[in-house]
Amino acid sequence: MLKTKKELKEKIFKRLSPEFPLAAEEVELTATPDPSLGDLALSIAFPLAKKLKTSPRMIARQAVELLSKLEGVEKVELAGAGYINLYLDRKNFFKEKFSRLKKSALEPEESKIIVEHTNINPNKAAHVGHLRNACLGDTLVRCLRYKGEQVEVQNYIDDTGVQVVDVVFGFIELEKKSLDEIKRIPGKFDYYCWDLYTKVSRYLAENQSAQDRKAEILKRIEHQLSPEAEYAHYISRRILKDHLETMKRLSISYDVLPCESSILKLKFWEKAFERLKECRAIYLSTEGENAGCWVMKLPDEQEREKIIVRSDGTVTYVGKDIAYQLWKFGLLGQDFYYEPFIHDNNRPVWISSGEPTSYQVHFGAGSKVYNVIDVRQSYLQKVVVQGLKSLGYEQQAAKSIHFSYEMVALSPRSLKEIKAEISEEDRDRTFLEVSGRKGIGVKADDLLDRLEEKAWEEVAKRNPDLPQESKKQIAQQIAAGAVRYFMLKYARNSLIIFDFDEALNFEGETGPYLQYTAVRLRSIFRKLQERLGCSYQEIIKPEILAGSYLEKLLPEEAKDFWELVVFASGLDEEVLRAIITLEFAGLAKFTFNLCQKINSYYHHYQVLSEKDEELRNLRLITIYFVHQILCQALDLMGIQVPEKM
RNA sequence: GCGCCUGUAGCUCAGUAGGAUAGAGCAGCUGCCUUCUAAGCAGCGGGUCGGGGGUUCGAAUCCCUCCAGGCGCGCCA
């Protein structure tokens, strides 16, 4: 539809501009409120009427005449107070759209786009909040690739930060475990550390004196001293592997894992620091409470200074982030070293190293960067962008996009289910923020396990004869589809108050409903082979569309057919809109509505039992068309289509 | 205190670079399985779009104001 609209707009402008004071970008084609009013609406008469001091209907009447016999348009009509409605040439439209199936009308604009997402501290298991981040990030990646962009997916690993230090502290000081003993801990290590981290947080809050010992461990890890650094390295790597396993369950993968330890080792910050000092982006505060710190000022926020380097000379998190952002744009003049960390579908996932390796691979140096981080870090992301601006990198600053989204919180019911211990002050709240520190959160794998269990039962009920292995695989696909749709269906500004009943629902506007729709469409083609002995490839050929098939349809079916085709053709527009607004709820809703329409369509119009062969084939081709687009949309959201359900 | 965000059906949410009659899902109630999978389809009921003012041909959408809620503003990450 994107292509059709673009071509039409140009033609319309050509016809109207000699007669009316009109700019090309003022020609807007929108959907009509009702398909019976035509396919596309032009509301240009309203602003023109104002300019020319006449009535919109007068303008519209004149425009309708000027637009007669437009190529690709069957009829132009005046409607309402002054709308100009266009009826598309159905036969040619469908023919063209069918021949362009699987071809995106979108075009790439960047040389290389970097998307950073997931970024879970490697000291505990992933929870539902992390799932939202990863699902949004991965969907963005898929949409950008569909648009034709070259995309590099990064997952930043804060392997030397205080959260990892807390767990190291727990193993050394509370559990008194040697590294070998830690290595022998069986089972899910991220779960083990989830509990330990909560214990440590409580212990540190109650024992102020332990803070010094923790600070010492932090220093020793930053300076790569034994044995603390080995602890941190082992723990973070093992948990990272667990995280990657969790994400794999959702078909989410990465190209490269840049680590904070490498940034420290290769002195990325020192380099950035020199530059920031040189161009006076930051300055040494000499008086007031920030005396002795290097600080940055945000131009529009007069009062506040942001501390970048502490008075003891250590750099803050945001400082390191500026250096990291410079590297992402290839502005640091230096790269990490890399080695393969794991293999995902025979493709290496690379991890950064501070030491030279034998691998000649390079990452970073993007022309546009998306950082998928929740809304609470908006201020810090602004500081990072300001850093780039101050260094004179205006263009890169403009292409540093903070993809922000609201957090996931837990409903009182969910809190009860996970048996969370809730403090007195939190008791009256209608929801509670996920907190790794307090151990309050729904672990990603727990949620996926519960979904899989439920899906398995449903599959077994319906398809008892399937082999165990198939049932398991289908259950996994359904569980993943449920999670991914759940995370996308809310607008990113909307706080998700997580509730098990809602997340575990497979009916209505859910991932499994979409999957079920695709599975059933697919089974029509399978049954075609089984019952009638012919494959759909024999029937669905482009030549068929050259015939006079559409004329065979009775008015009611013609209307339903056409509405379906026009709607399905909107995918490209929907994807482009999603990329521009960074909003995937619309794409999710579009796919859901497409499913509703196709479900309704083939309930009304039987396919295989239709005696009239031409009619049957036309229905088949319609269903094929929609099925293709549906599968594309599902793929963009990372939702797989099971063989059976 | 300052900044950002949110308020739409009983519940959860779409719809906001102004556009034709405000939409879904869940929950409730009616029908439809000897039929391409009932994880489905068809239908019914349900609304002062937080309140008030303004801008105009037209406002859920833009502006002002008030009310309610959330988040952020650390020499934490």
Side-chain angles (χ1 to χ4, degrees):
Chain A
M1 190 54 91
L2 202 60
K3 188 168 164 278
T4 306
K5 274 193 186 174
K6 196 176 156 223
E7 289 165 358
L8 269 177
K9 276 188 218 170
E10 281 166 16
K11 285 176 200 154
I12 292 168
F13 178 68
K14 229 177 230 171
R15 293 269 186 99
L16 297 185
S17 59
E19 304 293 326
F20 298 112
L22 193 62
E25 62 273 12
E26 286 176 291
V27 179
E28 272 299 323
L29 285 169
T30 55
T32 57
D34 190 295
S36 66
L37 291 169
D39 305 310
L40 296 169
L42 196 58
S43 54
I44 195 71
F46 296 99
L48 279 176
K50 202 172 185 180
K51 258 190 230 176
L52 302 171
K53 295 191 168 39
T54 173
S55 82
R57 276 189 76 88
M58 285 278 286
I59 306 266
R61 197 171 296 131
Q62 203 184 339
V64 166
E65 262 172 55
L66 289 166
L67 294 174
S68 68
K69 296 208 177 96
L70 210 55
E71 193 198 339
V73 178
E74 205 168 80
K75 187 169 68 167
V76 184
E77 232 173 42
L78 167 64
Y83 290 94
I84 301 157
N85 292 340
L86 279 63
Y87 295 74
L88 295 170
D89 173 350
R90 298 184 176 192
K91 196 171 153 185
N92 282 321
F93 181 85
F94 187 46
K95 208 166 105 186
E96 204 221 315
K97 295 303 164 212
F98 193 87
S99 69
R100 292 183 59 83
L101 268 175
K102 293 182 186 170
K103 282 182 210 146
S104 151
L106 311 180
E107 284 163 10
E109 291 168 88
E110 296 292 330
S111 60
K112 177 177 177 181
I113 295 180
I114 288 170
V115 177
E116 182 203 59
H117 67 78
T118 306
N119 299 8
I120 309 169
N121 271 307
N123 75 322
K124 60 175 175 296
H127 56 63
V128 283
H130 302 124
L131 284 181
R132 187 175 196 183
N133 182 303
C135 289
L136 289 172
D138 188 64
T139 304
L140 173 62
V141 170
R142 287 164 185 269
C143 286
L144 289 170
R145 285 187 175 147
Y146 177 81
K147 183 165 177 267
E149 303 284 3
Q150 197 203 324
V151 185
E152 181 176 297
V153 189
Q154 304 185 353
N155 177 5
Y156 178 71
I157 310 302
D158 189 3
D159 56 349
T160 50
V162 290
Q163 294 209 22
V164 172
V165 172
D166 279 352
V167 174
V168 174
F169 175 92
F171 277 123
I172 295 176
E173 297 295 316
L174 302 185
E175 304 209 329
K176 316 253 185 242
K177 278 193 167 66
S178 71
L179 192 51
D180 277 338
E181 285 170 320
I182 295 171
K183 285 179 183 173
R184 284 200 294 272
I185 292 171
K188 279 182 68 59
F189 191 62
D190 56 344
Y191 274 41
Y192 188 95
C193 292
W194 173 282
D195 294 332
L196 179 57
Y197 179 49
T198 310
K199 246 183 272 171
V200 171
S201 300
R202 200 177 304 141
Y203 180 85
L204 288 172
E206 288 162 4
N207 298 275
Q208 282 299 315
S209 56
Q211 290 293 346
D212 293 344
R213 177 66 186 122
K214 186 188 141 185
E216 193 189 329
I217 292 174
L218 173 68
K219 273 251 156 65
R220 291 183 64 83
I221 289 172
E222 278 190 353
H223 292 96
Q224 306 284 307
L225 297 173
S226 288
E228 290 85 350
E230 278 87 12
Y231 273 74
H233 188 266
Y234 175 77
I235 292 164
S236 62
R237 293 307 185 270
R238 185 162 165 194
I239 291 177
L240 174 54
K241 278 194 178 137
D242 287 340
H243 290 164
L244 296 179
E245 277 301 315
T246 302
M247 294 307 162
K248 198 177 173 179
R249 298 177 77 177
L250 295 162
S251 313
I252 296 172
S253 189
Y254 312 88
D255 295 310
V256 63
L257 312 165
C259 298
E260 189 184 59
S261 58
S262 309
I263 289 180
L264 294 176
K265 181 84 183 172
L266 295 169
K267 302 199 181 307
F268 276 19
W269 163 246
E270 282 75 358
K271 222 162 237 182
F273 191 25
E274 284 313 310
R275 301 249 202 105
L276 288 164
K277 277 194 281 193
E278 260 170 50
C279 66
R280 295 169 194 281
I282 63 176
Y283 59 92
L284 188 62
S285 180
T286 50
E287 53 193 27
E289 54 185 4
N290 293 341
C293 298
W294 288 86
V295 298
M296 184 190 281
K297 253 190 176 175
L298 255 57
D300 50 335
E301 279 157 83
Q302 297 297 322
E303 264 66 34
R304 207 176 317 141
E305 296 177 324
K306 182 69 201 165
I307 292 167
I308 307 294
V309 179
R310 304 181 188 104
S311 55
D312 67 358
T314 56
V315 61
T316 58
Y317 163 77
V318 68
K320 279 178 274 191
D321 222 14
I322 292 171
Y324 179 38
Q325 190 76 359
L326 286 170
W327 169 79
K328 286 183 191 163
F329 279 109
L331 297 171
L332 206 61
Q334 192 181 351
D335 197 0
F336 297 103
Y337 302 107
Y338 302 96
E339 58 192 356
F341 184 61
I342 58 159
H343 285 264
D344 191 3
N345 293 324
N346 293 321
R347 198 180 56 91
V349 175
W350 300 86
I351 194 163
S352 71
S353 170
E355 308 282 354
T357 66
S358 58
Y359 301 96
Q360 293 298 312
V361 290
H362 291 283
F363 294 99
S367 60
K368 187 168 189 174
V369 174
Y370 290 93
N371 295 326
V372 184
I373 311 175
D374 80 58
V375 68
R376 290 169 296 182
Q377 297 213 34
S378 294
Y379 172 63
L380 291 171
Q381 282 289 303
K382 256 166 88 179
V383 174
V384 170
V385 171
Q386 182 55 42
L388 293 189
K389 266 190 209 163
S390 305
L391 288 167
Y393 299 122
E394 284 287 343
Q395 203 190 334
Q396 286 83 352
K399 289 193 174 181
S400 296
I401 313 294
H402 174 203
F403 180 171
S404 78
Y405 62 93
E406 260 292 355
M407 58 179 179
V408 179
L410 303 180
S411 68
R413 248 191 327 185
S414 300
L415 288 164
K416 213 169 168 186
E417 270 197 60
I418 60 168
K419 300 189 174 71
E421 284 175 41
I422 302 160
S423 65
E424 203 59 51
E425 53 182 336
D426 288 338
R427 206 143 292 173
D428 294 335
R429 298 186 46 131
T430 53
F431 65 86
L432 213 54
E433 184 181 341
V434 172
S435 165
R437 207 171 291 276
K438 294 178 189 162
I440 295 173
V442 174
K443 295 189 209 67
D445 282 330
D446 283 350
L447 174 62
L448 282 163
D449 288 347
R450 283 184 64 168
L451 284 163
E452 260 178 50
E453 204 178 309
K454 185 179 172 191
W456 197 93
E457 281 166 20
E458 299 285 329
V459 172
K461 203 159 66 190
R462 282 154 238 245
N463 303 280
D465 300 333
L466 276 175
Q468 293 298 309
E469 208 37 52
S470 303
K471 280 185 211 161
K472 192 166 176 237
Q473 193 200 351
I474 293 165
Q476 285 168 349
Q477 289 172 321
I478 293 170
V483 167
R484 293 200 63 137
Y485 194 85
F486 183 81
M487 290 300 171
L488 295 179
K489 74 193 267 194
Y490 299 94
R492 63 191 167 98
N493 258 337
S494 173
L495 177 75
I496 297 180
I497 299 172
F498 182 87
D499 187 88
F500 279 105
D501 288 350
E502 276 170 44
L504 286 163
N505 185 20
F506 291 170
E507 283 161 29
E509 197 191 343
T510 67
Y513 169 81
L514 309 194
Q515 291 173 311
Y516 183 64
T517 304
V519 166
R520 287 183 66 180
L521 292 182
R522 201 172 275 180
S523 91
I524 292 175
F525 298 112
R526 198 183 56 241
K527 288 267 159 75
L528 176 74
Q529 180 78 49
E530 284 171 16
R531 290 187 195 173
L532 305 169
C534 58
S535 74
Y536 66 89
Q537 287 97 335
E538 292 165 35
I539 293 169
I540 297 159
K541 293 180 188 151
E543 302 93 86
I544 208 174
L545 296 162
S548 55
Y549 282 70
L550 294 187
E551 280 102 74
K552 281 201 69 92
L553 299 176
L554 294 170
E556 187 65 20
E557 183 170 357
K559 181 175 158 282
D560 291 340
F561 157 83
W562 181 241
E563 199 182 320
L564 190 55
V565 167
V566 167
F567 188 85
S569 302
L571 177 65
D572 276 348
E573 252 183 311
E574 216 54 63
V575 175
L576 186 63
R577 197 187 165 80
I579 291 171
I580 291 169
T581 59
L582 293 177
E583 198 62 82
F584 301 118
L587 179 61
K589 190 70 99 182
F590 168 84
T591 313
F592 170 64
N593 289 145
L594 183 62
C595 286
Q596 286 185 314
K597 285 186 200 298
I598 188 68
N599 275 328
S600 169
Y601 177 85
Y602 79 85
H603 263 90
H604 272 88
Y605 308 108
Q606 287 290 307
V607 180
L608 299 181
S609 58
E610 176 56 51
K611 298 284 183 293
D612 183 329
E613 198 172 310
E614 282 190 328
L615 196 53
R616 186 197 73 195
N617 290 353
L618 181 61
R619 288 177 186 164
L620 263 175
I621 208 165
T622 309
I623 284 172
Y624 177 84
F625 178 76
V626 174
H627 177 254
Q628 287 293 316
I629 290 172
L630 174 57
C631 287
Q632 241 166 11
L634 289 173
D635 187 49
L636 286 168
M637 296 189 287
I639 297 172
Q640 293 183 289
V641 181
E643 279 311 306
K644 286 189 173 177
M645 271 179 86

